[in-house]
Amino acid sequence: MFDLTGFQRDIMYLVAGLNDPHGLAVKDELEKYYESEIHHGRLYPNLDELVKKGLIKKGKKDRRTNVYKLTDRGLRELQDRREWEDQYLQEKQAITT
């Protein structure tokens, strides 16, 4: 996960949280979060890179629509990342209380 961009990590979290989303569903959710338009030229190369890295897999819903799903490795990577983040948040909370 250390070699991913924040945008790619956000995509992974969305793919994990949505039920086999297609690209436009991921795009819509990213636009809500970023409060700006996400261009196809930014989204799809990042999805393809995550597929290439084995973190998500791409399947076909129909002839025109791809769907995305987190791989087991992708899920482990997100869980490890979450544990790493949580240790620092917990330390911060202990200091402020």
Side-chain angles (χ1 to χ4, degrees), residues 86-97:
D86 285 348
Q87 79 180 356
Y88 293 102
L89 289 174
Q90 290 170 2
E91 286 177 18
K92 181 70 172 175
Q93 288 173 344
I95 292 170
T96 60
T97 55

Side-chain angles (χ1 to χ4, degrees), residues 49-64:
E49 182 66 20
L50 293 169
V51 169
K52 183 174 142 184
K53 290 179 179 279
L55 299 169
I56 62 174
K57 60 182 169 181
K58 177 168 62 172
K60 293 273 188 194
K61 180 177 181 177
D62 55 43
R63 289 183 349 166
R64 294 189 51 177

Side-chain angles (χ1 to χ4, degrees), residues 15-30:
V15 169
L18 300 172
N19 187 22
D20 297 338
H22 50 82
L24 289 177
V26 173
K27 180 181 180 293
D28 290 344
E29 290 298 318
L30 286 168

Side-chain angles (χ1 to χ4, degrees), residues 8-96:
Q8 290 169 332
R9 284 192 298 267
D10 291 344
I11 290 171
M12 287 183 62
Y13 281 110
L14 285 173
V15 169
L18 300 172
N19 187 22
D20 297 338
H22 50 82
L24 289 177
V26 173
K27 180 181 180 293
D28 290 344
E29 290 298 318
L30 286 168
E31 287 178 342
K32 287 179 198 172
Y33 179 70
Y34 285 100
E35 296 180 347
S36 64
E37 184 178 359
I38 303 296
H39 296 281
H40 289 91
R42 181 177 184 201
L43 175 63
Y44 289 101
N46 280 287
L47 283 166
D48 290 341
E49 182 66 20
L50 293 169
V51 169
K52 183 174 142 184
K53 290 179 179 279
L55 299 169
I56 62 174
K57 60 182 169 181
K58 177 168 62 172
K60 293 273 188 194
K61 180 177 181 177
D62 55 43
R63 289 183 349 166
R64 294 189 51 177
T65 307
N66 293 319
V67 292
Y68 298 91
K69 184 175 182 147
L70 216 56
T71 63
D72 290 341
R73 177 175 166 231
L75 180 60
R76 281 192 313 274
E77 293 283 345
L78 283 181
Q79 290 169 333
D80 289 348
R81 172 71 183 207
R82 192 61 168 269
E83 289 174 16
W84 181 79
E85 291 172 343
D86 285 348
Q87 79 180 356
Y88 293 102
L89 289 174
Q90 290 170 2
E91 286 177 18
K92 181 70 172 175
Q93 288 173 344
I95 292 170
T96 60

